[in-house]
Amino acid sequence: MLQIEHIGIAVKNLENSNLLFQQLLGKPHYKVESVESEGVNTSFFMVGNNKVELLEATNPDSPIAKFIDKRGEGMHHIAFAVKDIRSEMDRLEKEGFKLLNKEPKPGADNKLVCFLHPKTTNGVLIELCQEIPE
Ligand code: ZN
């Protein structure tokens, strides 16, 4: 894995949280994006080489809505940048980690992504992401 790419935070209201994180980080978000397949609206803040991703559910069946129902707002996942997502997925599966999707899928911010089940990663939801080549 290359580096921490971003930290995902589940929020109830993206507009309010954009203002809050703008105050916290001292700069505005640089991007807002909906990922319909995941039922989320996202926004991104750049912090040095890393990003903070805020995620808001767009419907009650969204994984973010379920997460907030269970645990409330807060840290949702850590995303690691990888060079070749398929080979990382193969490697991790062989190591015994449970992949939540068997094929890389399109995520926010021009990425292919795969999530690892938190049961196999000390309770932390891990996202692998690879920049989609232009
Ligand atoms: Zn993410």
Side-chain angles (χ1 to χ4, degrees), residues 5-9 42 44 53 55 76-79 108 113 115 127 129:
E5 213 278 338
H6 64 268
I7 290 174
I9 298 172
T42 66
F44 286 87
E53 174 186 32
L55 304 113
H76 180 258
H77 64 270
I78 298 178
V113 304
F115 287 92
E127 176 185 350
C129 58

PDB file of all heavy atoms in Angstrom, residues 5-9 42 44 53 55 76-79 108 113 115 127 129, ligand 1:
ATOM      1  N   GLU A   5      -4.851   7.462   1.920  1.00  0.00           N
ATOM      2  CA  GLU A   5      -5.372   8.354   0.886  1.00  0.00           C
ATOM      3  C   GLU A   5      -6.392   9.309   1.485  1.00  0.00           C
ATOM      4  O   GLU A   5      -6.370  10.489   1.232  1.00  0.00           O
ATOM      5  CB  GLU A   5      -5.979   7.511  -0.240  1.00  0.00           C
ATOM      6  CG  GLU A   5      -5.835   8.116  -1.638  1.00  0.00           C
ATOM      7  CD  GLU A   5      -6.883   9.148  -1.965  1.00  0.00           C
ATOM      8  OE1 GLU A   5      -7.964   9.134  -1.342  1.00  0.00           O
ATOM      9  OE2 GLU A   5      -6.646   9.978  -2.846  1.00  0.00           O
ATOM     10  N   HIS A   6      -7.307   8.727   2.281  1.00  0.00           N
ATOM     11  CA  HIS A   6      -8.254   9.597   2.992  1.00  0.00           C
ATOM     12  C   HIS A   6      -8.857   8.879   4.190  1.00  0.00           C
ATOM     13  O   HIS A   6      -8.731   7.660   4.334  1.00  0.00           O
ATOM     14  CB  HIS A   6      -9.360  10.105   2.058  1.00  0.00           C
ATOM     15  CG  HIS A   6     -10.255   9.040   1.498  1.00  0.00           C
ATOM     16  ND1 HIS A   6     -10.017   8.420   0.298  1.00  0.00           N
ATOM     17  CD2 HIS A   6     -11.400   8.479   1.983  1.00  0.00           C
ATOM     18  CE1 HIS A   6     -10.977   7.535   0.056  1.00  0.00           C
ATOM     19  NE2 HIS A   6     -11.828   7.547   1.065  1.00  0.00           N
ATOM     20  N   ILE A   7      -9.480   9.686   5.025  1.00  0.00           N
ATOM     21  CA  ILE A   7     -10.237   9.165   6.155  1.00  0.00           C
ATOM     22  C   ILE A   7     -11.688   9.531   5.918  1.00  0.00           C
ATOM     23  O   ILE A   7     -12.000  10.681   5.568  1.00  0.00           O
ATOM     24  CB  ILE A   7      -9.704   9.766   7.465  1.00  0.00           C
ATOM     25  CG1 ILE A   7      -8.316   9.187   7.719  1.00  0.00           C
ATOM     26  CG2 ILE A   7     -10.649   9.482   8.624  1.00  0.00           C
ATOM     27  CD1 ILE A   7      -7.615   9.802   8.891  1.00  0.00           C
ATOM     28  N   GLY A   8     -12.573   8.544   6.016  1.00  0.00           N
ATOM     29  CA  GLY A   8     -13.994   8.762   5.758  1.00  0.00           C
ATOM     30  C   GLY A   8     -14.745   8.975   7.064  1.00  0.00           C
ATOM     31  O   GLY A   8     -14.564   8.216   8.022  1.00  0.00           O
ATOM     32  N   ILE A   9     -15.587   9.988   7.084  1.00  0.00           N
ATOM     33  CA  ILE A   9     -16.354  10.321   8.279  1.00  0.00           C
ATOM     34  C   ILE A   9     -17.834  10.372   7.912  1.00  0.00           C
ATOM     35  O   ILE A   9     -18.216  11.055   6.954  1.00  0.00           O
ATOM     36  CB  ILE A   9     -15.892  11.686   8.854  1.00  0.00           C
ATOM     37  CG1 ILE A   9     -14.422  11.579   9.272  1.00  0.00           C
ATOM     38  CG2 ILE A   9     -16.771  12.119  10.016  1.00  0.00           C
ATOM     39  CD1 ILE A   9     -13.797  12.897   9.672  1.00  0.00           C
ATOM     40  N   THR A  42     -20.846  12.868  -1.056  1.00  0.00           N
ATOM     41  CA  THR A  42     -19.550  13.006  -0.403  1.00  0.00           C
ATOM     42  C   THR A  42     -18.988  14.404  -0.642  1.00  0.00           C
ATOM     43  O   THR A  42     -19.350  15.070  -1.615  1.00  0.00           O
ATOM     44  CB  THR A  42     -18.524  11.999  -0.969  1.00  0.00           C
ATOM     45  OG1 THR A  42     -18.245  12.326  -2.325  1.00  0.00           O
ATOM     46  CG2 THR A  42     -19.038  10.582  -0.888  1.00  0.00           C
ATOM     47  N   PHE A  44     -14.946  16.415  -0.182  1.00  0.00           N
ATOM     48  CA  PHE A  44     -13.535  16.151   0.088  1.00  0.00           C
ATOM     49  C   PHE A  44     -12.796  17.415   0.497  1.00  0.00           C
ATOM     50  O   PHE A  44     -12.982  18.473  -0.091  1.00  0.00           O
ATOM     51  CB  PHE A  44     -12.856  15.561  -1.152  1.00  0.00           C
ATOM     52  CG  PHE A  44     -13.213  14.130  -1.414  1.00  0.00           C
ATOM     53  CD1 PHE A  44     -14.332  13.807  -2.161  1.00  0.00           C
ATOM     54  CD2 PHE A  44     -12.441  13.103  -0.895  1.00  0.00           C
ATOM     55  CE1 PHE A  44     -14.667  12.484  -2.398  1.00  0.00           C
ATOM     56  CE2 PHE A  44     -12.770  11.771  -1.130  1.00  0.00           C
ATOM     57  CZ  PHE A  44     -13.882  11.465  -1.886  1.00  0.00           C
ATOM     58  N   GLU A  53     -12.824  12.718   3.758  1.00  0.00           N
ATOM     59  CA  GLU A  53     -14.056  12.524   2.983  1.00  0.00           C
ATOM     60  C   GLU A  53     -15.232  12.522   3.946  1.00  0.00           C
ATOM     61  O   GLU A  53     -15.256  11.731   4.890  1.00  0.00           O
ATOM     62  CB  GLU A  53     -13.986  11.169   2.245  1.00  0.00           C
ATOM     63  CG  GLU A  53     -15.274  10.777   1.527  1.00  0.00           C
ATOM     64  CD  GLU A  53     -15.231   9.361   0.928  1.00  0.00           C
ATOM     65  OE1 GLU A  53     -14.565   8.487   1.508  1.00  0.00           O
ATOM     66  OE2 GLU A  53     -15.877   9.148  -0.115  1.00  0.00           O
ATOM     67  N   LEU A  55     -19.214  11.770   4.390  1.00  0.00           N
ATOM     68  CA  LEU A  55     -20.234  10.970   3.703  1.00  0.00           C
ATOM     69  C   LEU A  55     -21.588  11.146   4.360  1.00  0.00           C
ATOM     70  O   LEU A  55     -21.719  10.980   5.577  1.00  0.00           O
ATOM     71  CB  LEU A  55     -19.859   9.484   3.753  1.00  0.00           C
ATOM     72  CG  LEU A  55     -18.497   9.087   3.209  1.00  0.00           C
ATOM     73  CD1 LEU A  55     -17.607   8.600   4.344  1.00  0.00           C
ATOM     74  CD2 LEU A  55     -18.627   8.018   2.150  1.00  0.00           C
ATOM     75  N   HIS A  76     -15.659   6.512   9.877  1.00  0.00           N
ATOM     76  CA  HIS A  76     -16.311   5.412   9.176  1.00  0.00           C
ATOM     77  C   HIS A  76     -15.311   4.459   8.538  1.00  0.00           C
ATOM     78  O   HIS A  76     -15.436   3.257   8.650  1.00  0.00           O
ATOM     79  CB  HIS A  76     -17.264   5.980   8.118  1.00  0.00           C
ATOM     80  CG  HIS A  76     -17.990   4.934   7.335  1.00  0.00           C
ATOM     81  ND1 HIS A  76     -17.627   4.576   6.054  1.00  0.00           N
ATOM     82  CD2 HIS A  76     -19.057   4.156   7.652  1.00  0.00           C
ATOM     83  CE1 HIS A  76     -18.442   3.627   5.626  1.00  0.00           C
ATOM     84  NE2 HIS A  76     -19.318   3.355   6.564  1.00  0.00           N
ATOM     85  N   HIS A  77     -14.276   4.994   7.867  1.00  0.00           N
ATOM     86  CA  HIS A  77     -13.289   4.106   7.251  1.00  0.00           C
ATOM     87  C   HIS A  77     -11.959   4.831   7.033  1.00  0.00           C
ATOM     88  O   HIS A  77     -11.898   6.046   7.040  1.00  0.00           O
ATOM     89  CB  HIS A  77     -13.797   3.528   5.934  1.00  0.00           C
ATOM     90  CG  HIS A  77     -14.050   4.538   4.842  1.00  0.00           C
ATOM     91  ND1 HIS A  77     -15.261   5.159   4.669  1.00  0.00           N
ATOM     92  CD2 HIS A  77     -13.245   5.034   3.871  1.00  0.00           C
ATOM     93  CE1 HIS A  77     -15.183   5.985   3.628  1.00  0.00           C
ATOM     94  NE2 HIS A  77     -13.971   5.933   3.125  1.00  0.00           N
ATOM     95  N   ILE A  78     -10.921   4.029   6.845  1.00  0.00           N
ATOM     96  CA  ILE A  78      -9.616   4.546   6.439  1.00  0.00           C
ATOM     97  C   ILE A  78      -9.343   3.989   5.050  1.00  0.00           C
ATOM     98  O   ILE A  78      -9.505   2.788   4.814  1.00  0.00           O
ATOM     99  CB  ILE A  78      -8.499   4.103   7.399  1.00  0.00           C
ATOM    100  CG1 ILE A  78      -8.770   4.652   8.798  1.00  0.00           C
ATOM    101  CG2 ILE A  78      -7.135   4.593   6.906  1.00  0.00           C
ATOM    102  CD1 ILE A  78      -7.741   4.227   9.820  1.00  0.00           C
ATOM    103  N   ALA A  79      -8.952   4.858   4.139  1.00  0.00           N
ATOM    104  CA  ALA A  79      -8.676   4.429   2.766  1.00  0.00           C
ATOM    105  C   ALA A  79      -7.179   4.496   2.493  1.00  0.00           C
ATOM    106  O   ALA A  79      -6.525   5.495   2.802  1.00  0.00           O
ATOM    107  CB  ALA A  79      -9.423   5.313   1.773  1.00  0.00           C
ATOM    108  N   ALA A 108     -15.961   7.327  -5.258  1.00  0.00           N
ATOM    109  CA  ALA A 108     -15.870   8.770  -5.456  1.00  0.00           C
ATOM    110  C   ALA A 108     -14.447   9.152  -5.849  1.00  0.00           C
ATOM    111  O   ALA A 108     -13.506   8.368  -5.679  1.00  0.00           O
ATOM    112  CB  ALA A 108     -16.282   9.496  -4.175  1.00  0.00           C
ATOM    113  N   VAL A 113     -12.417   1.082  -6.086  1.00  0.00           N
ATOM    114  CA  VAL A 113     -12.315   0.815  -4.658  1.00  0.00           C
ATOM    115  C   VAL A 113     -12.718  -0.612  -4.307  1.00  0.00           C
ATOM    116  O   VAL A 113     -13.433  -1.286  -5.050  1.00  0.00           O
ATOM    117  CB  VAL A 113     -13.182   1.811  -3.822  1.00  0.00           C
ATOM    118  CG1 VAL A 113     -12.801   3.243  -4.133  1.00  0.00           C
ATOM    119  CG2 VAL A 113     -14.665   1.584  -4.032  1.00  0.00           C
ATOM    120  N   PHE A 115     -13.622  -2.674  -0.364  1.00  0.00           N
ATOM    121  CA  PHE A 115     -13.659  -2.571   1.094  1.00  0.00           C
ATOM    122  C   PHE A 115     -13.336  -3.917   1.728  1.00  0.00           C
ATOM    123  O   PHE A 115     -13.657  -4.972   1.179  1.00  0.00           O
ATOM    124  CB  PHE A 115     -15.038  -2.096   1.550  1.00  0.00           C
ATOM    125  CG  PHE A 115     -15.292  -0.635   1.259  1.00  0.00           C
ATOM    126  CD1 PHE A 115     -15.902  -0.254   0.075  1.00  0.00           C
ATOM    127  CD2 PHE A 115     -14.901   0.346   2.162  1.00  0.00           C
ATOM    128  CE1 PHE A 115     -16.126   1.092  -0.202  1.00  0.00           C
ATOM    129  CE2 PHE A 115     -15.124   1.688   1.899  1.00  0.00           C
ATOM    130  CZ  PHE A 115     -15.744   2.067   0.717  1.00  0.00           C
ATOM    131  N   GLU A 127     -10.696   0.723   3.198  1.00  0.00           N
ATOM    132  CA  GLU A 127     -10.952   0.878   1.777  1.00  0.00           C
ATOM    133  C   GLU A 127      -9.625   0.873   1.034  1.00  0.00           C
ATOM    134  O   GLU A 127      -8.681   1.532   1.453  1.00  0.00           O
ATOM    135  CB  GLU A 127     -11.673   2.225   1.531  1.00  0.00           C
ATOM    136  CG  GLU A 127     -11.913   2.563   0.072  1.00  0.00           C
ATOM    137  CD  GLU A 127     -12.530   3.966  -0.125  1.00  0.00           C
ATOM    138  OE1 GLU A 127     -12.943   4.594   0.866  1.00  0.00           O
ATOM    139  OE2 GLU A 127     -12.576   4.420  -1.278  1.00  0.00           O
ATOM    140  N   CYS A 129      -8.010   1.985  -2.534  1.00  0.00           N
ATOM    141  CA  CYS A 129      -8.408   2.754  -3.711  1.00  0.00           C
ATOM    142  C   CYS A 129      -7.241   2.972  -4.653  1.00  0.00           C
ATOM    143  O   CYS A 129      -6.110   3.201  -4.249  1.00  0.00           O
ATOM    144  CB  CYS A 129      -9.108   4.045  -3.338  1.00  0.00           C
ATOM    145  SG  CYS A 129      -8.192   5.168  -2.319  1.00  0.00           S
TER     146      CYS A 129
HETATM  147 ZN    ZN B   1     -13.655   6.536   1.108  1.00  0.00          ZN
END
